[in-house]
Amino acid sequence: MQVRRLEITGAFEFTPKSFPDHRGLFVAPFQGEVFAEATGHPLQVAQTNHSVSARNVIRGVHFADVPPGQAKYVYCPRGALLDVVVDLRTGSPTFGRWEAVRLDSTEFRAVYIAEGLGHAFAALTDDTVMSYLCSTPYNPAAEHGIDPLDPELALPWDELDGEPVLSEKDRDAPSLAEARAQGLLPDHESCLAHYERLRRTP
């Protein structure tokens, strides 16, 4: 498996090797030993999520309070999507920046999004499936969102071939500036301290 550390601290891209033959294909999108070597800690999986999206659906930008936050390891077992990691940690040198990775059922790349980072994606095909390994269970009281169409973020939705389709909750989410003013965003130093605790946990 190939590993690429993204420019935003706490985000990684993993590209597994696939094994096609006359029967079909085998691939292991998540490999615990490789993950732990790359990040410095194992991934504790408390919940798995599975979403199906029509073409042009955007989900996110979602994040959770830190601590404990919610880290995600995501991949696309069917279809194709544009996965976006956004640095929402106030005080971070890359605050407000984003990185995008295409995930699909051809190469089975995966992205790890550490606690405190924002996550969004756009489905590029109908019936696109996203699989998530989550470090903590869903906690509605600690979950937040940023408007994925916020002009300040300028996320790369130009790859869509139609009007974006959003949930009412995502469409009504605050802008980055509004969320910062409301004190909703994670603190960079607190997130780094959390990552260090993860590395120290046996």
Side-chain angles (χ1 to χ4, degrees):
M1 176 179 275
Q2 295 180 345
V3 181
R4 181 170 70 96
R5 185 187 297 266
L6 302 185
E7 292 183 12
I8 295 174
T9 300
F12 294 81
E13 175 194 275
F14 295 84
T15 305
K17 185 175 181 180
S18 59
F19 301 90
D21 63 21
H22 66 281
R23 300 166 299 169
L25 176 142
F26 177 85
V27 65
F30 174 73
Q31 299 172 30
E33 186 174 341
V34 176
F35 176 88
E37 184 176 347
T39 65
H41 61 84
L43 178 63
Q44 175 182 333
V45 179
Q47 180 172 315
T48 63
N49 297 339
H50 175 102
S51 70
V52 182
S53 301
R55 183 191 300 266
N56 297 328
V57 164
I58 296 175
R59 297 181 188 264
V61 178
H62 299 150
F63 67 100
D65 292 334
V66 181
Q70 187 184 66
K72 298 174 182 176
Y73 187 97
V74 300
Y75 67 96
C76 177
R78 186 174 72 210
L81 58 90
L82 190 66
D83 198 69
V84 181
V85 181
V86 185
D87 193 346
L88 303 177
R89 301 165 300 189
T90 58
S92 168
T94 53
F95 176 76
R97 289 178 52 186
W98 53 264
E99 291 188 69
V101 177
R102 180 186 170 96
L103 305 182
D104 57 38
S105 54
T106 301
E107 297 189 332
F108 294 95
R109 286 191 184 93
V111 172
Y112 174 65
I113 304 105
E115 296 87 346
L117 297 176
H119 178 242
F121 73 86
L124 303 177
T125 66
D126 283 327
D127 295 321
T128 286
V129 172
M130 170 72 97
S131 287
Y132 314 66
L133 307 181
C134 303
S135 65
T136 57
Y138 175 62
N139 179 3
E143 295 282 334
H144 306 286
I146 302 293
D147 178 4
L149 304 181
D150 180 2
E152 181 181 354
L153 287 177
L155 299 182
W157 308 134
D158 51 354
E159 288 199 27
L160 300 180
D161 60 4
E163 285 297 312
V165 180
L166 280 70
S167 70
E168 184 176 346
K169 180 179 178 180
D170 286 344
R171 190 174 294 278
D172 292 341
S175 67
L176 181 64
E178 290 169 339
R180 187 174 192 176
Q182 294 168 20
L184 296 177
L185 301 180
D187 172 71
H188 185 235
E189 291 302 320
S190 297
C191 290
L192 293 183
H194 180 73
Y195 307 156
E196 185 58 32
R197 284 193 295 272
L198 290 175
R199 286 190 283 269
R200 292 176 182 172
T201 301

